[in-house]
C-alpha cells in the first residue's frame, strides 16, 4: 500500500527513510518538518501505520508497506536513508533494496556502523552501480528530531545529491550547519566512531569526578549536581556537564532519594568506544583516555567479582581525614585538563587514520560540526576549531598555545587530585592515565631505552643508539660485544 501524500498526490518523495525505530522516525519527522517530502517504510508494517497515525500531520509523508512501493515512491536518483541496527541488519536491507534500485541510486546508512563494514558496503554497492554513503548521526533521539550533528562519508557526487536535505535538518551554530562532507567510503562512520570514543572518555571523567566528590568530599548527589551546574557556566560548559547536573538532582519517584543512588552501577556499551580503542591499537596511536573509559565500563560489569573483592582486598577507606579545602575546584581543573588530553588523543587518532586511509580529513571542520547537535557538544570545541583555523595541521592539540597554557595552569590541581584519589583508594583510570600520557608526552627521553635493551637481551630484537646510525645487537649473555646488524 502506498498512500500518496495528500498535498501533492502525484509527487514523488525527495528522500526515503527505512527503519522507523525512534532514531529513524525522528529523522524522518525532522526532514518532513523542514519541508522535504519523505517516504517512510518499516519492515513491520504496523510500525509504519503507527508512525503515520502519530506524526502523519507533521509534514509530507508517503508511507509504504513494501520495499517495492517505497522505492516507487522516490524521486530519482533515489535517496534512501537506512536506519536499522548496525551489523547484519544493514546488509540485509541492502540485499533487499539493491535489486529494486537503478544505477546511481544512493543508499545512506545513518546508523552507528563499523567503518570497515562501510568500506566493504561501498565497494559492494559500487559493483552493483549503486552509491553508498556511511553517515554518522549524533544527538540521540532529540537530536535526530530537532537537529543532529551529521558526519557524511562516501562519494562526493552522492553527497551533493543529499547535501541540501542533510544540512537543512542538522543543528546550527552561529548560522553554520553541523553537517559537512567528511571524506570517502568509511570516513563519516570513522569520525562518528571517534566522536563516540570521546563521548566515552568525557562520561568516564565525569563519573570519576562524581566518585571523588561523593567519597572524598563526602557530598550527596544533589549537592554534586549543583556543582556541575556551576561548572557548566565555565570552561567545561557542555551538554554532558549540563545533563550530569540534571541526572544528579533527579529524585527517585519510589524512594524520594536521588535516582542515581538506586541505578545499578554496571555500564553497558554497544561497541563504538571499543572499536575506537581497537583502531587506535591498530594505528599505533596512544589513546589512553578513551581506552581506559572502555575498560572502566568492562570492570563495572564485573559486579559479582567486585562484590566479593570489596570484602577481601585491602585498601584505604575514602574520605578519612581528607582536607577538603579547594578539592572541588581541583577536581574541576583535573576534569578540564583530562578532557583536553582525551580530545588531543582523539584528534591525533583521526589525523593518523586520515593518512592511513587517504581520507584527507579536515579536522577543524570536524570540531566545527561537533559544536552543536551531538552528545559531546561543548564550548570547548570552539577552541579546537580556532586552533585548526590558526595553525592548519596540528600534530597534537596539547602543543597549541591555548591548550598548552590551559593544561599548564591546571596541572597542579590535576596532580593533587590524582595523588589524593590514589591515597584514598578511589579508582580514577581516566584522570590518572591522562596525566601519565601528559607526563610521558612531554619527556624528551623516556625509559624505552631499557625496554629495547631487554628485548635485545632475550630476543636479539636489536636497538638503535643515540650516538650512531644503524641497528645494533649486543651479545649480552656471551662475550658482551656489540654487533652491527644492518651493515
Ligand atoms: C550519539 C550517541 C549514540 C549512542 C551511543 C551510545 O552520538 O548520538 O553516541 O550514538 O547514544 O552509541 O553508545 P553506548 O551504548 O556504547 O554507550
Amino acid at each position: 500500500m502506498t498512500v500518496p501524500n495528500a498535498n501533492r498526490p502525484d509527487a514523488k518523495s525527495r528522500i526515503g527513510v527505512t527503519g522507523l525505530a525512534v532514531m529513524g522516525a525522528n529523522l524522518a519527522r525532522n526532514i518532513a518538518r523542514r519541508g522535504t517530502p519523505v517516504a517512510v517504510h518499516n519492515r513491520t508494517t504496523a510500525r509504519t501505520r503507527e508512525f503515520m497515525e502519530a506524526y502523519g500531520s507533521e509534514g509530507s509523508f508517503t508511507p509504504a508497506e513494501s520495499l517495492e512501493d517505497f522505492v516507487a515512491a522516490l524521486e530519482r536518483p533515489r535517496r534512501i536513508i537506512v536506519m536499522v541496527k548496525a551489523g547484519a541488519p544493514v546488509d540485509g536491507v541492502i540485499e533487499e533494496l539493491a535489486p529494486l534500485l537503478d544505477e546511481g541510486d544512493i543508499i545512506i546508512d545513518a546508523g552507528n556502523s563499523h567503518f570497515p563494514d562501510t568500506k566493504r558496503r561501498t565497494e559492494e554497492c559500487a559493483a552493483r552501480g549503486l552509491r553508498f554513503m556511511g553517515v554518522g548521526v549524533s544527538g540521540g533521539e532529540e537530536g535526530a528530531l530537532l537537529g543532529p550533528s551529521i558526519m557524511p562519508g562516501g562519494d562526493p557526487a552522492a553527497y551533493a545529491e543529499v547535501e541540501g536535505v542533510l544540512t537543512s535538518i542538522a543543528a546550527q551554530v552561529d548560522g553554520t550547519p553541523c553537517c559537512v562532507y567528511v571524506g570517502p567510503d568509511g570516513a563519516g562512520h570513522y569520525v562518528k566512531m571517534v566522536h563516540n570514543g570521546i563521548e566515552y572518555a568525557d562520561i568516564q571523567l565525569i563519573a570519576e569526578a562524581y566518585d571523588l566528590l561523593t567519597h572524598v568530599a563526602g557530598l550527596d548527589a544533589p549537592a554534586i549536581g549543583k556543582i556541575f551546574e556551576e561548572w557548566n557556566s565555565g570552561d567545561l560548559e557542555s551538554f554532558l556537564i549540563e545533563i550530569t547536573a540534571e541526572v544528579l538532582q533527579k529524585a527517585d519517584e519510589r524512594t524520594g532519594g536521588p535516582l542515581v543512588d538506586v541505578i545499578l552501577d554496571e555500564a553497558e556499551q554497544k561497541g563504538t568506544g571499543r572499536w575506537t580503542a581497537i583502531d587506535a591499537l591498530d594505528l599505533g596511536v596512544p589513546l589512553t583516555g578513551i581506552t581506559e573509559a572502555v575498560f572502566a565500563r568492562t570492570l563495572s560489569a564485573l559486579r559479582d567479582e567486585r562484590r566479593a573483592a570489596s570484602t577481601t582486598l585491602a585498601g584505604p577507606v575514602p574520605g578519612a581525614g581528607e582536607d577538603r579545602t579547594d578539592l572541588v575546584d581541583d577536581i574541576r581543573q583535573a576534569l578540564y585538563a583530562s578532557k583536553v588530553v582525551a580530545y588531543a588523543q582523539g584528534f591525533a587518532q583521526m589525523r593518523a587514520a586520515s593518512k592511513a586511509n587517504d581520507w584527507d580529513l579536515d579536522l577543524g571542520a570536524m570540531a566545527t560540526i561537533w559544536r552543536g547537535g551531538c552528545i559531546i557538544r561543548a564550548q570547548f570545541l570552539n577552541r579546537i576549531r580556532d586552533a585548526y583555523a590558526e595553525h592548519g595541521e596540528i600534530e597534537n592539540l596539547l602543543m597549541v598555545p591555548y591548550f598548552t597554557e590551559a593544561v599548564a595552569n591546571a596541572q597542579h590541581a590535576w596532580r593533587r587530585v590524582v595523588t589524593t584519589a590514589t591515597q584514598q583508594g578511589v579508582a580514577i583510570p581516566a584522570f590518572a592515565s591522562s596525566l601519565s600520557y601528559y607526563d610521558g608526552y612531554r619527556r624528551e627521553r623516556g625509559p624505552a631505552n631499557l625496554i629495547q635493551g631487554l628485548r635485545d637481551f632475550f630476543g636479539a630484537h636489536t636497538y638503535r643508539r643515540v650516538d650512531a646510525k644503524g641497528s645494533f645487537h649486543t651479545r649480552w649473555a656471551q662475550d658482551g660485544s656489540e654487533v652491527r646488524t644492518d651493515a
Side-chain angles (χ1 to χ4, degrees):
M1 175 203 74
T2 301
V3 181
N5 83 57
N7 309 329
R8 307 159 69 227
D10 302 318
K12 300 254 185 193
S13 295
R14 178 139 188 90
I15 196 159
V17 176
T18 179
L20 297 176
V22 176
M23 287 297 286
N26 282 359
L27 266 189
R29 293 169 64 197
N30 186 352
I31 296 169
R33 286 168 167 203
R34 308 276 169 183
T36 303
V38 200
V40 287
H41 169 268
N42 193 73
R43 179 180 291 276
T44 318
T45 52
R47 183 164 271 172
T48 313
R49 291 191 186 136
E50 284 158 19
F51 175 90
M52 288 306 290
E53 268 165 41
Y55 312 117
S57 60
E58 288 185 359
S60 173
F61 295 107
T62 301
E65 295 207 348
S66 70
L67 272 182
E68 286 79 3
D69 286 348
F70 176 62
V71 167
L74 295 169
E75 218 178 83
R76 290 175 66 179
R78 300 182 184 93
R79 303 163 185 88
I80 298 175
I81 296 180
V82 178
M83 203 45 154
V84 298
K85 203 166 178 294
V90 177
D91 291 307
V93 174
I94 295 172
E95 273 319 300
E96 285 179 50
L97 269 176
L100 308 174
L101 299 178
D102 292 301
E103 174 123 21
D105 286 349
I106 303 164
I107 299 177
I108 302 153
D109 172 15
N112 271 334
S113 289
H114 197 194
F115 73 96
D117 287 338
T118 305
K119 283 183 160 185
R120 168 179 60 76
R121 289 171 186 142
T122 303
E123 283 170 21
E124 288 169 359
C125 284
R128 296 164 113 154
L130 302 173
R131 294 183 284 178
F132 186 79
M133 297 191 64
V135 176
V137 177
S138 176
E141 296 174 15
E142 196 179 278
L145 182 62
L146 303 176
S149 174
I150 305 180
M151 295 147 252
D155 172 6
Y159 177 63
E161 299 280 0
V162 292
E163 183 174 6
V165 177
L166 295 184
T167 51
S168 78
I169 63 165
Q172 310 265 329
V173 175
D174 302 335
T176 307
C178 295
C179 172
V180 76
Y181 175 70
V182 174
D185 58 75
H189 277 143
Y190 188 90
V191 166
K192 175 67 201 323
M193 177 190 80
V194 176
H195 163 284
N196 280 26
I198 293 175
E199 173 186 308
Y200 274 54
D202 267 344
I203 293 174
Q204 176 62 25
L205 292 168
I206 288 172
E208 291 177 17
Y210 156 70
D211 204 11
L212 290 166
L213 290 168
T214 306
H215 295 291
V216 180
L219 300 171
D220 63 13
I224 302 171
K226 284 263 173 281
I227 290 171
F228 273 89
E229 223 170 78
E230 280 164 33
W231 288 356
N232 198 38
S233 56
D235 286 340
L236 286 170
E237 183 184 340
S238 61
F239 171 69
L240 284 169
I241 295 285
E242 179 191 328
I243 64 168
T244 301
E246 280 192 39
V247 169
L248 289 170
Q249 292 182 77
K250 169 84 179 146
D252 176 32
E253 284 176 9
R254 295 191 195 198
T255 60
L259 175 58
V260 75
D261 288 353
V262 292
I263 296 179
L264 201 70
D265 60 332
E266 268 184 67
E268 296 175 15
Q269 51 184 318
K270 294 194 203 71
T272 45
R274 192 173 66 242
W275 295 339
T276 315
I278 291 171
D279 178 69
L281 290 170
D282 286 341
L283 287 172
V285 174
L287 192 81
T288 57
I290 293 171
T291 307
E292 286 292 355
V294 176
F295 285 144
R297 288 197 192 189
T298 52
L299 189 135
S300 82
L302 304 176
R303 197 156 153 272
D304 292 340
E305 287 182 43
R306 285 192 289 117
R307 190 182 296 129
S310 70
T311 54
T312 309
L313 302 183
V317 178
E322 175 58 21
D323 174 7
R324 283 161 210 174
T325 333
D326 299 333
L327 181 64
V328 173
D329 198 59
D330 277 1
I331 295 173
R332 178 186 65 77
Q333 295 192 58
L335 181 49
Y336 188 66
S338 305
K339 184 180 167 90
V340 171
V341 167
Y343 281 70
Q345 293 180 339
F347 275 79
Q349 178 177 8
M350 288 193 287
R351 180 172 184 264
S354 179
K355 288 205 165 122
N357 294 284
D358 274 332
W359 282 335
D360 199 20
L361 297 181
D362 176 349
L363 298 180
M366 300 308 105
T368 304
I369 62 168
W370 287 351
R371 291 179 309 156
C374 65
I375 304 297
I376 64 169
R377 60 187 181 264
Q379 268 304 324
F380 173 76
L381 283 154
N382 280 307
R383 305 282 84 77
I384 300 183
R385 187 186 71 139
D386 295 347
Y388 281 100
E390 194 181 338
H391 302 279
E393 179 94 3
I394 295 172
E395 259 183 348
N396 190 312
L397 281 167
L398 286 168
M399 297 298 283
V400 170
Y402 176 85
F403 294 110
T404 307
E405 202 181 316
V407 176
N409 292 338
Q411 63 152 328
H412 303 293
W414 195 11
R415 293 182 194 286
R416 281 194 295 271
V417 168
V418 170
T419 307
T420 301
T422 308
Q423 281 169 345
Q424 299 262 336
V426 177
I428 41 146
F431 279 158
S433 66
S434 305
L435 181 55
S436 283
Y437 169 85
Y438 176 73
D439 283 336
Y441 192 72
R442 67 186 184 80
R443 281 280 292 279
E444 190 191 349
R445 182 163 167 83
N449 45 335
L450 178 58
I451 297 174
Q452 286 298 82
L454 295 172
R455 291 178 68 248
D456 190 56
F457 188 113
F458 63 68
H461 294 299
T462 76
Y463 56 85
R464 283 174 293 141
R465 299 184 56 101
V466 294
D467 54 359
K469 287 202 181 315
S471 249
F472 301 90
H473 166 58
T474 291
R475 294 187 225 265
W476 303 90
Q478 294 93 41
D479 61 0
S481 65
E482 179 188 276
V483 183
R484 172 105 192 231
T485 57
D486 61 339

